[in-house]
Every structure is written in C-alpha cells, then in structure tokens.
Amino acid sequence: MGFQVASYEHIKQGRVTDVYFERVKAALSSKGINPLVDMEVRAGSLPDEWKWAVFAGLEEVLDLVDGLPIELRAMEEGELFGPREPVLSVRGRYLDFGVFETAILGLLCQASGIATSAARCKLAAADRTVISFGARRMHPTLAPMIERNAFIGGCDGVAVVESAEQLGETASGTMSHTLILCAQDERLAYEIFDASMPPEVPRVALIDTFQDEKFGALFAAEVLGDRLAAVRLDTPGSRRGDFLRIMEEVRWELDIRGFGHVKLFISGNLDEYKILEYNPLADAYGVGTHISNSPVVNFAMDIVQIDSKPLSKRGKESGLKQVWRCSADGARVRTLATGQAASCPRCGSAMEPLIEDCYKDGRVIMQTPAPRDLRARVLSKLESAEL
Ligand code: PCP
C-alpha cells in the first residue's frame, strides 16, 4: 500500500513532468537541437485582489535542481513581488532541465500562494496571534510544506506535530470538541485537560460545544480561574449570527467578573476580512482552509533568451531581466539583467537588485535562512505592505 503521491526520487528523476515535455525532449534530441536558453518564472497577474505576493518554495527548487548543469538566479525567499515581475530564472541547455518545468512551477505556485494567504491574515491580525489550522483540508503528505509556508508567511504557529518538528518549532493548538464530547461533561473535560497538560501548554477552553458562548466562557472561567488563558469560540455557522456582538458580550461578562486576563481565541471559516472585522474583540485566531487551500500563484516559466539573444513567445517580454527596489520608498523598476537602474524614478535614491545568483557550478550559493528567520524577513516587509 502507500499514499497516491510521487516519491522524492521520482520527482528528482523528472518523472513528475507533463508528457509533452518528454515529447519535446525526444523531438529536439532527434535533431540534436539543444540550445542554451534562459527561462524566467513570473506571474502575469495575482489571485483575487492581491497587490503583492510572497515568494516561497525556493528552498525545495534548489533541492530539486541540485546536480543539474544549470544556473539559477532568484529573489530571496520571503521577498514580496508583483505581477509580471520575474522571481526566478534558469539558464542551461534546454534538454538538461526542460522536463523539470512541471515540478519547479508546482513547488513555487503552491508555496507562494499559501505564504501569501498567511501573510495577508497576519497583516490583518497585526500583533494578534494567528495559528495555522488547515492541514486537515489537504493531503497529509503536504502538511509540512503547507505549514512551513504558512509559518514563513507570518503565522505565529502551526498545529501539526510533524510540521512543527520539521520547522524546529513547538506545535500550537487548544482542545477539540471530541474531548468534551467524549467526557460528556465540560467541567470534567476542562479539569482533565488542565491536569494532564504540561505547564507550557496554554489552557484554552473550547466553549461552544453544548453551551451559549457567554455562559460557556463564564463556566470555563469558574472551573479554571486564573489558569484559564483563553476561551476558544468555534461557533458553528448556523449559530454565528452577529459574531462580533457575541464576542463583545463574552468580553463584558468576563471583565465584570474579574476575568479580564482571559483572551478570546476565534476559529472557523476565517479569512483576512473576517479577521479585520473581529479584531476589536479577538486576541488570537486559528485559520484553516483559507491558508491551506489558498489560491496558487499562477507562475509561468517561459523562454526569454536563446543563445543569449532575446526571444520569447507572444505575450511575454523577451530578454533576461532584473527587478530593482528603491531602498528609500520601495518603488520598483524592471530592467534587462544587463541594465542598471540608476536611481529611483520617484525619489532619486539608490536602487537595489532583487534577483541574485543562487545556484551555479553545481552548488547552491544563496543562503536559505531558517524558517523563523524567513518569517521575520516577511514580517519586516509586511510593515510597509497593504492588503
Ligand atoms: C476545526 C478547527 C477549526 C477549523 C476546523 C479550521 O474545527 O477547530 O476551527 O478552520 P477553517 O474553517 O478555517 O478551515 P472543528 O473540526 O469544527 O472542531 P475541532 O476543533 O473540534 O476539531
């Protein structure tokens, strides 16, 4: 038995490829046609109303191409990019890497989508905690990849044990409805949870299983008192009504009884817009589907040069490119890679190139920071970003 997924070995062998790439390879090989090409990865547009996206998945691409006689240039992982900005380019003899287009795009499209949805939720939540809760919506083999990108995109924590281990982080979570249903009694459930958890696990009581949220919150506070860190409201859609008013009521009732320390943790069907709406009362969020099932970034990988001469199909600008960012006001300019962006068209300040060599002479030459550092990089860029 085994899951219906491709193995690492098969992906590295180029077997996860659209058959037409194998047919192109056969046709070109039959005539010994194997030009030196430059291919660029870029997104013509971004999903929904995204103004920017987070570049993610590069670490896995560098693993995939390791050993191939090619050169890669790329933006650093965690960089923000816009429509029609190249994020990565590959240079080499076409027959040496053409069949890897499917896997290269797959690694970048999904990772960048997830990281961006996570970043949008974190930007909306500001300093409130956002935990990735969405692994259950996707094939379990993908959970570490999904949560790695949710984390570097800005989530403060991830729920899956395996994902957290691979990240070198501690898994985050509260309690599930199954605990309360199996105990068939909220007091018993809260007490056994409290008694069996190590001190570093925050006592977050789920309060919507049997009761109205207001009375559920007061009951949890009565049972756990000062040990109660937060109450989680995972109210089913059929009973959400005016959810902000419900949170306000819960907040009021807890505060007038001296439970001002108890935070409100919200989960269930959240996205960046619900988060903006709930921010006045919420302290933390569990976001699932909206991040793990994020729209992908529709990257395409196109030839832009043959034998170092600009050539591309209709609809794509030919020539290898560089993207520059103004160090003062963040303005961005695209030029040919051989060109130089003298100064910022807006403020005249110096411009810095965003695309740099990352794989050359069979070696990865770009540092891939630890996930926590990549996350810090994204958070710093979000400071000047808008939803
Ligand atoms: C799950 C979890 C989040 C849901 C799923 C993920 O809830 O607690 O609330 O959120 P999403 O809507 O953003 O995908 P349930 O399965 O209802 O409950 P439990 O917490 O008991 O697993």
Side-chain angles (χ1 to χ4, degrees):
M1 277 307 285
F3 296 119
Q4 292 119 17
V5 293
S7 69
Y8 175 79
E9 292 69 28
H10 282 182
I11 297 171
K12 283 283 285 186
Q13 291 161 11
R15 288 181 49 75
V16 179
T17 189
D18 297 296
V19 69
Y20 73 162
F21 290 129
E22 289 194 336
R23 292 172 181 164
V24 166
K25 188 169 182 175
L28 291 174
S29 309
S30 71
K31 287 287 177 230
I33 300 171
N34 189 14
L36 175 69
V37 302
D38 288 283
M39 298 190 78
E40 276 181 346
V41 172
R42 62 158 222 174
S45 62
L46 295 175
D48 301 344
E49 56 295 328
W50 297 353
K51 297 188 193 83
W52 47 268
V54 178
F55 179 51
L58 178 62
E59 188 175 308
E60 289 191 304
V61 168
L62 291 172
D63 186 330
L64 174 69
V65 303
D66 199 15
L68 295 179
I70 60 175
E71 294 175 3
L72 256 71
R73 301 162 58 247
M75 287 186 178
E76 61 183 9
E77 197 152 8
E79 181 57 72
L80 303 190
F81 65 92
R84 296 189 307 288
E85 288 187 349
V87 293
L88 180 140
S89 68
V90 184
R91 161 171 287 205
R93 295 273 161 202
Y94 182 74
L95 297 182
D96 290 334
F97 71 94
V99 293
F100 288 96
E101 179 171 340
T102 308
I104 290 171
L105 288 176
L107 291 171
L108 298 175
C109 293
Q110 189 174 19
S112 299
I114 292 167
T116 307
S117 288
R120 292 176 61 81
C121 289
K122 185 57 185 172
L123 184 58
D127 55 2
R128 296 168 192 79
T129 299
V130 177
I131 309 292
S132 160
F133 267 12
R136 66 185 62 197
R137 309 290 183 222
M138 294 289 152
H139 195 290
T141 54
L142 298 179
M145 179 279 291
I146 289 170
E147 297 212 302
R148 182 250 189 203
N149 292 298
F151 183 70
I152 70 166
C155 284
D156 299 271
V158 300
V160 170
V161 174
E162 171 70 12
S163 311
E165 215 164 278
Q166 291 195 21
L167 284 169
E169 300 288 327
T170 304
S172 304
T174 66
M175 63 175 69
S176 67
H177 294 97
T178 51
L179 169 68
I180 296 159
L181 290 160
C182 291
Q184 299 187 44
D185 173 87
E186 279 161 329
R187 177 182 297 279
L188 176 59
Y190 296 156
E191 287 174 346
I192 60 177
F193 184 88
D194 185 30
S196 50
M197 286 307 115
E200 63 275 15
V201 173
R203 272 61 174 160
V204 181
L206 186 56
I207 60 168
D208 58 70
T209 310
F210 298 132
Q211 299 205 51
D212 166 87
E213 287 71 11
K214 171 160 88 172
F215 297 107
L218 295 179
F219 182 74
E222 182 216 313
V223 174
L224 293 173
D226 293 346
R227 302 172 61 68
L228 181 62
V231 290
R232 176 158 81 95
L233 287 74
D234 188 56
T235 308
S238 59
R239 284 151 172 82
R240 269 198 190 206
D242 184 339
F243 202 43
L244 198 59
R245 292 279 97 30
I246 292 174
M247 280 189 251
E248 196 171 24
E249 213 179 305
V250 170
R251 182 76 273 158
W252 170 269
E253 300 295 343
L254 285 169
D255 291 353
I256 64 171
R257 288 174 180 77
F259 296 115
H261 68 281
V262 176
K263 306 287 186 203
L264 300 190
F265 188 118
I266 310 301
S267 61
N269 203 18
L270 297 175
D271 61 22
E272 60 268 47
Y273 304 104
K274 292 250 181 61
I275 287 174
L276 287 172
E277 184 191 342
Y278 298 155
N279 274 345
L281 274 300
D283 302 292
Y285 298 102
V287 183
T289 315
H290 187 67
I291 292 176
S292 63
N293 184 35
S294 169
V296 296
V297 172
N298 279 342
F299 286 123
M301 185 167 160
D302 294 288
I303 290 176
V304 292
Q305 290 189 163
I306 297 265
D307 298 325
S308 302
K309 297 188 199 61
L311 181 69
S312 63
K313 69 178 183 182
R314 294 183 310 144
K316 305 284 165 134
E317 293 106 340
S318 63
L320 195 62
K321 302 171 198 67
Q322 178 57 273
V323 178
W324 303 80
R325 180 183 50 221
C326 169
S327 46
D329 65 11
R332 298 161 81 100
V333 170
R334 273 181 327 153
T335 68
L336 282 178
T338 49
Q340 178 72 32
S343 62
C344 174
R346 273 206 309 237
C347 69
S349 306
M351 305 282 284
E352 57 174 340
L354 297 182
I355 302 176
E356 50 187 287
D357 294 336
C358 56
Y359 182 81
K360 214 171 181 161
D361 311 324
R363 277 181 328 106
V364 175
I365 55 175
M366 181 193 268
Q367 267 307 316
T368 44
R372 185 154 277 280
D373 301 329
L374 273 176
R375 180 176 177 271
R377 175 185 287 170
V378 172
L379 292 179
S380 70
K381 295 181 190 300
L382 292 184
E383 283 161 19
S384 53
E386 286 165 20
L387 276 182

